[in-house]
Amino acid sequence: MINARKTFLAVGTIIGVTSVFAASSRASQNSSSPYASQQSLRVPKLFAEGVVSTDDDEFGGSFSPDGKTVYFSRSAPHSYHYAILESHFVNGEWSTPTIPAFSGRYTDSDPIYSPDGMRMFWSSDRPVDGKVKHDYDIWMVEKTANGRWSAPRHLPAPIASDGSEYCASMARDGTLYFSSSRDGGAFGVIQAYRSRYVNGAWSTPENLSREMNGADTTGAFYDLDVFVDPDQRFVLLGSLRAEGLGNYDLYISWNRDGQWSKPFHPGAPINSAARDYAPHISPDGRYLFYTSERGFGLDTPSEPLNYQQLQAQLHSTLNSSGNIYQVELSVLDSMARNKNP
């Protein structure tokens, strides 16, 4: 996202996957959340087209626990600047986005609620203690007694480092998952980390990418996006790897008795030849929300375009700027089974 952006499972593991997704689906099949679809969503569908997903570049999609507020990011061309936006479900539709009080000045991205909705994390290059920074750190706001967000708080070491930190998400027990370039070596790779919340403080981060892939990860891939299931049953990644379809793709790693599986690449239609990234899960656990740049930029027209047609494509929602898509999370189970019959 921020300038830095641009395997198979054993049968027993897949059986475990089914129980996770099936339970989530059954528990939420009658969901009244605003994002819930009346039809089955087995193929990715644009979310809130014209309001959230537009001809601008959007990514993310983190919902409040009641599903009535969504936070996401919008980018200036070529990722020169990011701002955080929020939209509310009012009178049956999503409202025109606004910029929350804690964003709009600095380069801010990847907003995400904590599971209880009382905290929000994001990545920013804003000054720390009055000193201008040239990298990105994790910041946080908390809900106050009046229901508003507090003043932004910087997460210092051990979360912050001399490198950049991105894409924080918090598990229900307070463990923080995020990506960082702190140990990227000569290749400057970005990897996934986990910091446990112990006695009121976050512990020294553990390199999760090495747990999932083995010790030798230098130069192999970039795990830029990291989203953890609130109960730490799985982690979703937006990662650049050799087996991908051409750019960043989504991957999933399962936690089985404390051991993380090698990240699974679900393939199309979840992934595409375009950049697919910024995964989030809806509060009810039923849907995967993520961003894709699929569209005009990678589609070859059947016939040459004239000027008017070109302009129409360039200003359409599917102009290959980022859009937010929604699909049933259980689709990942089906795709895993198809690759591991």
Side-chain angles (χ1 to χ4, degrees):
M1 291 178 202
I2 302 176
N3 298 335
R5 293 197 185 282
K6 274 325 212 190
T7 111
F8 299 107
L9 306 176
V11 172
T13 301
I14 295 178
I15 292 173
V17 172
T18 303
S19 63
V20 170
F21 287 160
S24 296
S25 181
R26 287 193 299 270
S28 60
Q29 60 185 353
N30 297 317
S31 173
S32 60
S33 297
Y35 52 73
S37 174
Q38 298 304 310
Q39 293 80 36
S40 177
L41 288 183
R42 307 297 293 176
V43 175
K45 178 183 177 182
L46 278 171
F47 172 69
E49 184 176 3
V51 178
V52 175
S53 295
T54 71
D55 60 350
D56 289 324
D57 183 38
E58 295 92 16
F59 58 93
S62 180
F63 291 87
S64 57
D66 64 3
K68 295 181 179 179
T69 300
V70 61
Y71 280 79
F72 60 99
S73 300
R74 185 167 286 170
S75 169
H78 307 295
S79 301
Y80 285 123
H81 185 80
Y82 297 109
I84 292 173
L85 300 180
E86 62 179 306
S87 176
H88 304 274
F89 197 74
V90 181
N91 297 325
E93 59 185 18
W94 291 100
S95 66
T96 300
T98 58
I99 298 177
F102 58 82
S103 188
R105 180 179 181 184
Y106 302 104
T107 299
D108 300 322
S109 73
D110 304 301
I112 186 166
Y113 277 99
S114 60
D116 62 5
M118 298 303 292
R119 296 177 179 181
M120 178 167 288
F121 301 90
W122 75 97
S123 183
S124 180
D125 66 348
R126 62 187 62 203
V128 176
D129 298 329
K131 297 180 180 179
V132 175
K133 288 184 64 63
H134 300 287
D135 63 350
Y136 296 88
D137 287 344
I138 304 301
W139 289 73
M140 179 184 75
V141 288
E142 298 178 281
K143 280 291 180 69
T144 61
N146 62 13
R148 297 180 180 179
W149 292 116
S150 67
R153 170 187 163 193
H154 175 251
L155 300 193
I159 303 301
S161 72
D162 292 337
S164 286
E165 281 70 48
Y166 311 101
C167 303
S169 62
M170 193 172 79
R172 214 178 301 279
D173 68 358
T175 302
L176 199 68
Y177 287 68
F178 60 97
S179 61
S180 176
S181 63
R182 67 184 64 202
D183 190 24
F187 292 92
V189 298
I190 298 170
Q191 297 174 330
Y193 289 82
R194 171 184 57 202
S195 177
R196 304 176 195 272
Y197 199 65
V198 182
N199 297 325
W202 281 296
S203 62
T204 300
E206 308 159 56
N207 190 311
L208 191 63
S209 290
R210 289 179 181 169
E211 288 189 36
M212 293 185 292
N213 298 279
D216 186 11
T217 59
T218 303
F221 47 78
Y222 293 76
D223 287 335
L224 182 54
D225 298 293
V226 182
F227 178 90
V228 66
D229 164 66
D231 296 310
Q232 301 178 81
R233 297 169 298 179
F234 57 88
V235 166
L236 291 165
L237 303 171
S239 185
L240 184 63
R241 296 168 180 251
E243 68 268 31
L245 299 183
N247 207 312
Y248 278 90
D249 281 350
L250 299 190
Y251 292 78
I252 184 167
S253 173
W254 303 95
N255 184 346
R256 290 291 174 260
D257 300 322
Q259 298 295 316
W260 292 95
S261 67
K262 183 178 180 180
F264 168 71
H265 182 267
I270 301 297
N271 290 309
S272 69
R275 182 166 60 165
D276 302 286
Y277 63 109
H280 293 74
I281 300 301
S282 60
D284 61 12
R286 184 177 183 183
Y287 296 105
L288 164 65
F289 287 86
Y290 71 103
T291 296
S292 180
E293 295 178 352
R294 63 192 66 187
F296 170 65
L298 291 173
D299 294 338
T300 302
S302 58
E303 297 180 358
L305 301 177
N306 61 35
Y307 179 76
Q308 288 76 21
Q309 291 170 328
L310 175 63
Q311 288 299 100
Q313 291 285 3
L314 292 176
H315 295 283
S316 69
T317 302
L318 296 178
N319 61 1
S320 288
S321 293
N323 291 305
I324 297 174
Y325 285 80
Q326 176 181 2
V327 68
E328 291 178 18
L329 185 61
S330 59
V331 169
L332 293 179
D333 169 46
S334 299
M335 300 180 85
R337 283 183 171 274
N338 287 338
K339 288 193 175 182
N340 297 268

